[in-house]
Amino acid sequence: MANRIYLRPFNLSDASTLLKWGQDEYYQRLAGFGHYQNLGDAEKAAGQYAARKYSYALCLRQSQKMIGLVELYERGISTKELQATKEIGFLLDKDFSGHGYMTEALKIVLDYAFQKLNQTEIWAGVFENNLRSKKLLIRLGFKFIYAVDMSKVSEFSQYQEDYFLLQKAEWLERKK
C-alpha cells in the first residue's frame, strides 16, 4: 500500500485539474474550493499554489496523475508561540476517494511537519457536512476542539466549520 503516491510542488500543468475541481460544486460544497470560470483562472490558482511554501500536488506514482492536494499553512497571526503551529488543508479528487490515498498523503505531511518543521501541533478545519474528512482526521488521531458558525462572522458565509487538533506527542505515540 505504501509508495502508491508521491507529493510534489505545483506547476502550471496542474491548471486543467484545478479547473475541473473548480467547476464542480461538489468540491466547493465540501471543501470551500474556489470556483474557476476558465483555464486562465485555474492557471492563476496553480501559480498561487506553486508560490506557497508547503503546498503539494498529490500524485499517483504509477501514472503521475495529480489526484489531490495537501497544504500546510500558517494559522492566523504569526507570533513566536504560533510558529510551532500550522493548519493542514487537503482535497482529493472524488474519483479516487475510498482507496487510502489521502491517508498516505497526510501521514507523509504530518511526519514532515512534526519531525522536520518541528511543529508542536497541527490544526484542521473541516466543513460540518464533510463527514469523510472528519472520519479521516479522527483515524489519524485528531481531536474535535470547537466549531465556528461562519454565518455569525459574515452574512456571505452560510456554513459551519469544525476544528480538529493533533498534538505532536500524540502523533509520535501513535507511530510507535
Side-chain angles (χ1 to χ4, degrees), residues 82-97:
L82 292 178
Q83 289 175 354
T85 299
K86 294 221 181 320
E87 190 163 333
I88 195 165
F90 53 95
L91 179 144
L92 182 66
D93 189 300
K94 62 186 173 185
D95 294 338
F96 295 90
S97 66

Side-chain angles (χ1 to χ4, degrees), residues 13-74:
S13 68
D14 297 324
S16 60
T17 303
L18 294 175
L19 178 62
K20 174 187 148 191
W21 296 338
Q23 292 188 333
D24 189 329
E25 181 267 338
Y26 172 85
Y27 302 104
Q28 295 157 18
R29 181 175 42 84
L30 286 182
F33 194 73
H35 176 74
Y36 305 131
Q37 298 284 338
N38 53 48
L39 190 58
D41 288 350
E43 287 172 344
K44 182 178 176 185
Q48 291 169 337
Y49 281 111
R52 295 180 193 152
K53 191 171 186 177
Y54 303 114
S55 275
Y56 307 101
L58 165 57
C59 302
L60 292 175
R61 188 165 301 285
Q62 192 169 25
S63 66
Q64 299 185 356
K65 176 181 178 65
M66 183 175 92
I67 62 167
L69 63 88
V70 181
E71 294 189 279
L72 284 173
Y73 42 90
E74 301 304 322

Side-chain angles (χ1 to χ4, degrees), residues 13-171:
S13 68
D14 297 324
S16 60
T17 303
L18 294 175
L19 178 62
K20 174 187 148 191
W21 296 338
Q23 292 188 333
D24 189 329
E25 181 267 338
Y26 172 85
Y27 302 104
Q28 295 157 18
R29 181 175 42 84
L30 286 182
F33 194 73
H35 176 74
Y36 305 131
Q37 298 284 338
N38 53 48
L39 190 58
D41 288 350
E43 287 172 344
K44 182 178 176 185
Q48 291 169 337
Y49 281 111
R52 295 180 193 152
K53 191 171 186 177
Y54 303 114
S55 275
Y56 307 101
L58 165 57
C59 302
L60 292 175
R61 188 165 301 285
Q62 192 169 25
S63 66
Q64 299 185 356
K65 176 181 178 65
M66 183 175 92
I67 62 167
L69 63 88
V70 181
E71 294 189 279
L72 284 173
Y73 42 90
E74 301 304 322
R75 228 179 159 247
I77 300 168
S78 183
T79 65
K80 187 170 183 157
E81 295 82 37
L82 292 178
Q83 289 175 354
T85 299
K86 294 221 181 320
E87 190 163 333
I88 195 165
F90 53 95
L91 179 144
L92 182 66
D93 189 300
K94 62 186 173 185
D95 294 338
F96 295 90
S97 66
H99 299 283
Y101 295 124
M102 189 55 72
T103 301
E104 288 180 51
L106 292 182
K107 286 178 177 179
I108 292 168
V109 172
L110 291 169
D111 278 342
Y112 179 71
F114 288 132
Q115 295 175 2
K116 301 290 187 207
L117 300 179
N118 204 29
Q119 300 299 289
T120 58
E121 59 186 28
I122 303 292
W123 286 85
V126 180
F127 283 9
E128 178 184 36
N129 62 341
N130 193 339
L131 301 179
R132 282 189 111 135
S133 291
K134 287 182 185 184
K135 288 178 183 176
L136 171 59
L137 291 171
I138 291 166
R139 269 196 324 269
L140 291 171
F142 282 80
K143 305 231 180 336
F144 173 78
I145 303 297
Y146 63 88
V148 176
D149 181 351
M150 296 305 287
S151 68
K152 307 278 191 233
V153 177
S154 168
E155 64 185 81
F156 302 108
S157 301
Q158 299 300 313
Y159 61 91
Q160 177 177 304
E161 196 157 14
D162 295 340
Y163 283 88
F164 293 79
L165 174 65
L166 178 62
Q167 299 281 348
K168 180 179 185 174
E170 293 170 6
W171 176 252

